[in-house]
Amino acid sequence: TIFKRVLSSGRPLLTSDATVDDRFTLSESIVLNKIRSVICAPILYRGKVEGVLYFHSTENEDPFVQADLEVAAEGALQMSLFMAGHQAVELNRAGFVRTVKALVTAMEIFDTRNKGHSERVAEYCTALGRQFELTPEQLYHLRLAALLHDVGKLAVHHSLVGVKKEQIMEQHVYAGEKIINQIEGMEEIVPIVRYHHERADGSGYPFKVKNEDTPLLARILIVAVAFDEQCNIGGVGGEGLQVKDVL
């Protein structure tokens, strides 16, 4: 078929009249379906054909010509460039997430009781975000915020000796916001982390904001953080509660 020809050769193909084109036999679908004129241009990524742009016409008049093929080939090239750019962004993001996870691991050295907390919260946030039908971009920001929401504890643990738990809980929010603000491209993450200890009635900390003043992604993070804390360090003795009891 014409698709197979383009996939195997990686070159664009034009026929203005398939019925008289020696490249096609009478048994091929292009002839059997009475297709007269065809353009097929490959979409390439890393030297491989990942898709094609395909146009055909059954009309005898105004068949496709070389100029049409050039337009289609240019369109395929633009799509190839887009795919390459998108893949580069995804690779950069994946590398950044790995860096963030390494930072979280370092943080847990100072907070061993909550080992794995940020990773679990990130998974809960992703699941909740999908239920809310968040965009891929929003899910990415939410996941990063979940992984980094306690990063301020690094600064608090290093700067304060004999600090009380209440101080750590409040100060780590400020410190986390300050740390994240120093990272280029993290503007969307800051408000999510900033409000992760607030409550719907305004009884949270440190800003005392109510539900209606809290961004949606931050509210999702609030729920995920509270759920994981109750499941792992909640209840009498801090041994954690069963999921059914938390829910």
Side-chain angles (χ1 to χ4, degrees):
T1 65
I2 192 169
F3 290 109
K4 288 181 179 180
R5 291 174 187 269
V6 174
L7 288 172
S8 61
S9 70
R11 299 172 62 85
L13 186 149
L14 163 71
T15 179
S16 296
D17 189 346
T19 61
V20 296
D21 194 321
D22 293 337
R23 291 174 296 178
F24 306 105
T25 66
L26 294 177
S27 63
E28 291 197 49
S29 60
I30 190 172
V31 177
L32 295 176
N33 291 319
K34 299 181 179 180
I35 296 171
R36 300 297 295 267
S37 185
V38 175
I39 286 176
C40 191
I43 300 171
L44 302 170
Y45 177 65
R46 291 187 175 180
K48 295 183 179 180
V49 180
E50 297 292 344
V52 298
L53 281 183
Y54 174 84
F55 307 92
H56 76 250
S57 173
T58 58
E59 301 296 327
N60 291 328
E61 299 180 359
D62 298 322
F64 293 129
V65 295
Q66 184 64 31
D68 299 314
L69 177 64
E70 291 173 1
V71 172
E74 177 63 25
L77 175 60
Q78 292 299 320
M79 293 186 70
S80 298
L81 292 173
F82 172 80
M83 288 178 62
H86 178 74
Q87 184 65 21
V89 170
E90 291 301 311
L91 289 173
N92 285 337
R93 284 188 168 184
F96 185 65
V97 170
R98 288 194 295 271
T99 301
V100 168
K101 288 183 177 181
L103 183 61
V104 170
T105 300
M107 178 182 65
E108 288 176 346
I109 294 175
F110 301 96
D111 192 19
T112 55
R113 193 179 182 203
N114 280 321
K115 187 175 182 179
H117 168 68
S118 294
E119 286 271 10
R120 293 191 299 270
V121 169
E123 294 301 320
Y124 299 147
C125 281
T126 300
L128 288 169
R130 286 174 178 152
Q131 290 299 312
F132 276 94
E133 298 183 345
L134 298 183
T135 66
E137 192 76 2
Q138 288 174 312
L139 283 172
Y140 173 70
H141 290 150
L142 180 58
R143 182 171 180 80
L144 277 183
L147 289 170
L148 287 169
H149 74 277
D150 275 342
V151 71
K153 289 182 178 179
L154 274 173
V156 173
H157 276 290
H158 276 84
S159 62
L160 299 176
V161 179
V163 65
K164 293 181 180 179
K165 180 180 178 181
E166 292 76 12
Q167 290 176 290
I168 292 178
M169 296 304 289
E170 187 160 317
Q171 290 299 318
H172 90 275
V173 178
Y174 295 123
E177 182 178 351
K178 187 174 181 179
I179 290 171
I180 295 172
N181 262 322
Q182 303 304 309
I183 306 173
E184 185 178 355
M186 298 288 279
E187 296 81 7
E188 301 291 334
I189 311 299
V190 174
I192 310 174
V193 173
R194 177 187 297 143
Y195 298 121
H196 77 274
H197 275 303
E198 303 299 331
R199 293 295 180 263
D201 60 359
S203 63
Y205 60 87
F207 302 102
K208 309 295 182 185
V209 297
K210 293 186 177 181
N211 195 60
E212 59 268 22
D213 297 318
T214 307
L216 173 61
L217 301 191
R219 297 203 299 269
I220 293 174
L221 179 57
I222 289 168
V223 172
V225 168
F227 177 77
D228 188 69
E229 286 178 347
Q230 288 300 308
C231 286
N232 289 277
I233 58 174
V236 179
E239 297 299 323
L241 299 171
Q242 293 187 11
V243 172
K244 64 181 181 64
D245 295 326
V246 176
L247 294 175

